[in-house]
Amino acid sequence: MPLHASRIALVVAVAGSSLAAGTTTAGATSDQIRIREVFAGVAGAPTAQFVELQSSAPLQNQVGGKQIRVFDASGALVDTFTFAAPVPVLLDQSTVLVATPAAESFFGVEADLEMDAAAIGRGGGKLCYFDPAAGRAIDCLAWGSYAGSAAGVGAPFNAAEGFPAGAAVERSVSGGTDPTALDASDDTDESAADFRFAAASPRNNLGAAGAAPGGALSFATASTGTGEGDGTLAVALTRSGGAGTITAGVLLRGGTATPGTDFALVDDTLELPPAAAAQLSVVDDLRAEADETVRLALRDPGGGAVLGPPIDAVVTIDDDDSPDTEPPLTTIARPGHGGSYRPAKLRAFRGHSADVGSDVALVEIALRQKRTNGDCRWWNGERFVPRPCGLKLFQTAGSDASWRYAPSKRLKPSVGTNVRDYTLFARAVDTANNLETALEAGRNRNRFEVT
């Protein structure tokens, strides 16, 4: 809604004197105003959008004629919202609220400039506080997939996702000369460095603060841990303010742990109350492995709630198994030890490998043809080649525990020819790089004949 005349009449004290707040004073300007907070909507109120500006010095109320300009991810101008007049309060750290009617209703606060359209795209874009008279942007923020000019914005904030529904983004004021207040040094023209997630808290120029009716939901901590054998882990949530039942989604956003193998998310939708935590079921396997991580994310709050930081949490699963030093064991199923086969019945070799502490990574076979004169030949993948009888020539049979190898040629009979017999050797290596070295007759060293 437009500025109200009653606000213009407000009298405030500045530097020991009384000034009519709408009056232009010597040095009064708005060049020290910066973008402080942005909110791009939430489930149930997707058009509830606002931009909060804040001054880093006194006498910054002359916003009349200045604009909020909103751009899409390509850098094209989407919409412009123009201040019709100065705002009343010109104290250092005073704020100015630009908001849609939906945001005014959702947060219960009156805007200083009403946005007649929800123009902020959550996935990516840019917005600027702009001085058309000077033809320049005073301050800008880029986020998400924004790919326009980097001038004045640097790298976009949260480039991978942009603004999650329900999460506000605010300028960090922890740097500069005063870590508790906005000052000029807090603006480095690098969006990724200057901004962070926040619980939406719009404030107008008169100091009235809005709040989400369902409060703000967040993880209790940004990082936590559990042992692999601890079973179910409750990742605690915190709710600040608000009333009634609210909901939120819990998403998996990556990490080094494997869903289904190392852990399971018990429920990807939470309702508070009664829920007060997200539940992870941790799998206690027998593999020795490095500690692994799961990244959880709160998203899409409902019931009038917004998200507050931290909206993401990293869970570290500590491994409780000793390092695997045992090699796998391989068994040849066909050909059997001492068996006799016709060439047409022996078109493939089969077997199985198993490992207790890790997974089978690779299976190899070596096929030896022993001649009646005592010489040996080894299969090289295409044919038998002369080679010392004890110098095995291994070929890859597969990367699964159940393996199969089919020679490209039928084996020559070993009865009534210059071939005496054949021997098949099989071995495996596991994911911990333990190599099977034992070759036992009747298990993974099988001698057979071809008739």
Side-chain angles (χ1 to χ4, degrees), residues 330-341 346 349-352 365-370 378 392 403 411 421-427 438-450:
T330 300
T331 300
I332 299 171
R334 186 179 183 88
H337 187 55
S340 180
Y341 300 87
L346 197 61
F349 309 140
R350 295 182 176 86
H352 184 79
I365 62 97
L367 178 62
R368 183 181 68 189
Q369 180 192 78
K370 196 162 188 179
W378 293 87
K392 300 174 183 64
W403 52 270
L411 302 186
D421 58 40
Y422 293 89
T423 303
L424 181 66
F425 303 84
R427 70 182 186 185
L439 297 169
E440 302 175 6
R443 180 176 66 82
N444 64 339
R445 189 188 74 202
N446 288 4
R447 181 180 55 79
F448 62 97
E449 291 183 347
V450 177

Side-chain angles (χ1 to χ4, degrees), residues 116 134 211 356 376 396:
D116 57 9
V356 175
C376 290
T396 300

Side-chain angles (χ1 to χ4, degrees), residues 143-217:
W143 65 92
S145 59
Y146 174 74
S149 171
V153 294
F157 171 80
N158 199 32
E161 185 179 4
F163 297 154
V169 56
E170 70 174 6
R171 183 183 298 277
S172 172
V173 300
S174 58
T177 57
D178 184 348
T180 65
L182 177 67
D183 53 53
S185 299
D186 291 320
D187 180 15
T188 69
D189 289 339
E190 280 289 335
S191 301
D194 289 348
F195 289 84
R196 63 191 179 188
F197 285 119
S201 56
R203 294 170 296 165
N204 64 20
N205 187 243
L206 296 180
L217 181 65

Side-chain angles (χ1 to χ4, degrees), residues 110-121:
E110 190 175 22
D112 301 297
L113 170 63
E114 215 170 63
M115 299 167 60
D116 57 9
I120 304 172

Side-chain angles (χ1 to χ4, degrees), residues 115-137:
M115 299 167 60
D116 57 9
I120 304 172
R122 292 194 295 108
K126 180 178 79 169
L127 63 84
C128 295
Y129 175 54
F130 194 84
D131 183 355
R136 67 180 181 89

